[in-house]
Amino acid sequence: MSALEKYLEKMQDDAATLEAINRAIRALSTRREDDARALLADLAEKAVSLSRGLNDGLDIVNLPKGAVA
């Protein structure tokens, strides 16, 4: 597998994880328990982190060396 394929696979894995987190956030958002609120905050923080990584990682400037060959 080439460096580009590995890189894109990681980005796809992160996007799938972000989708799962968003589904969990949506499900928890209807609950009123304090534990649910704390979990929502943790999930939202992870989602922000993954989003930032995807945005930064998909910038053409940040492609791994040798990916555009």
Side-chain angles (χ1 to χ4, degrees):
M1 184 179 288
S2 73
L4 178 58
E5 289 171 322
K6 288 178 185 176
Y7 185 77
L8 292 175
E9 185 176 320
K10 183 199 177 307
M11 294 293 105
Q12 188 174 25
D13 288 348
D14 287 352
T17 301
L18 184 56
E19 182 179 354
I21 289 171
N22 285 329
R23 289 178 189 275
I25 288 172
R26 186 172 45 204
L28 286 169
S29 68
T30 62
R31 304 186 62 104
R32 295 190 182 270
E33 297 88 8
D34 288 338
D35 290 344
R37 286 190 203 140
L39 186 53
L40 276 171
D42 291 344
L43 288 171
E45 186 59 38
K46 182 61 177 175
V48 167
S49 176
L50 280 170
S51 298
R52 187 177 301 123
L54 284 167
N55 284 327
D56 291 345
L58 292 173
D59 185 347
I60 193 162
V61 175
N62 293 323
L63 286 174
K65 186 175 182 175
V68 184

